[in-house]
Amino acid sequence: MKTPMRMREKIVLRVVAQACIPFILLFALYVQFHGDFGPGGGFQAGVICAAGFILYGLIFGLDKLKKVVSFRTIEILVAAGLLLYGAVGLLTIGMGGNYLDYKVLDHHDPTHGLHYGILFVELGVGITVTAAMLAIFYAFAGRERA
Amino acid sequence: MPFPIEALLFLFLLATAVVIARLRDLFAAAMLTGMFSLLSAGLFTLMDAVDVAFTEAAVGAGIATVLMLGTLALTEKRENQQPTRTLPFVVVLLTGAALIYGTLDMPPYGSPGTGPEPAAGNAVIHHHVAPDYIKGTKEEFKLPNVVTAVLASYRGYDTLGETAVIFTAAIGVLLLLVPGRKRKSEDESAAPEDPR
């Protein structure tokens, strides 16, 4: 992709992106972990988080982004999120409930169990979505012009 | 009667769609599709579907636009001149008319659906499992966001399936678009006949 090379020379873009990226990532974390109280959740947080990384990649180039998040990491994270989701289900079976029956996760208060279940399941969704979006961006941006 | 803001947004949506269809400049078209998504997100917000609006704004206006720009960097910036064809236009008009005809059976926008039986004006969807979900989210989950409770718990299996779909999509893209890695050359030097 040629555009990042040219964009790197634009100082305004660079400075504004540097200022924005931490807030985008922080907002993604907020959306991720506040999803059960406000709008949002794993899907939205994953996309916002990926957008932060993609902005970095657009401004500073794919090579620098690959130093931050390597291709191998993304391959692992795509699977890790889904496995985390599935593992929560297996854990609830192990603790004497049905698959994805979060109530058994906390012996004292089933409401807390539900909250834990939602938290980890949404985290799994968020990880997979972030990695999947980044994988698609890497695949597109890494191609040479035909 | 005051002019509803929904109508204004729909007018903007229509104008954007027509401009996208007529534009030859693909860069402008890609940016306008992002605007289309943002306007849709505004509409969803007005319908109190903030979670959907959130997704639309992040995916439609954000990621999709970036991916389209990434594709534009690989192809031409302008669309080739196409001859005007009437058949696709007729097909689109007929499909649109069928869709609008389909909406005539739907309950009116904003219908609360409080009636005892499904009749005109009562949104049937509100009489199925939705009352249980709304009650359960408040009493059992003690959470304010019903969408999260439905997504992660009541419909937990579906969300697991959706995550698997995203996983599969990412794997598919990686397999199709990312060229072979250097491991291939190591394999070739180690074993000339690859069993896979």
Side-chain angles (χ1 to χ4, degrees), chain A residues 89-103:
Chain A
L90 291 180
L91 186 67
T92 54
I93 290 184
M95 293 175 79
N98 290 324
Y99 193 70
L100 292 178
D101 179 15
Y102 312 133
K103 280 179 203 167

Side-chain angles (χ1 to χ4, degrees), chain A residues 25-98:
Chain A
L25 296 182
L26 193 65
F27 184 60
L29 287 177
Y30 165 76
V31 171
Q32 171 78 54
F33 293 111
H34 204 258
D36 28 359
F37 293 95
F43 283 101
Q44 293 88 339
V47 173
I48 293 170
C49 185
F53 283 109
I54 288 174
L55 180 61
Y56 184 84
L58 281 179
I59 305 290
F60 297 97
L62 191 62
D63 296 333
K64 281 212 168 172
L65 180 61
K66 278 187 175 164
K67 278 182 189 152
V68 181
V69 191
S70 74
F71 202 81
R72 187 91 192 109
T73 317
I74 285 179
E75 280 180 330
I76 293 169
L77 284 181
V78 171
L82 184 61
L83 286 174
L84 175 63
Y85 199 135
V88 172
L90 291 180
L91 186 67
T92 54
I93 290 184
M95 293 175 79
N98 290 324

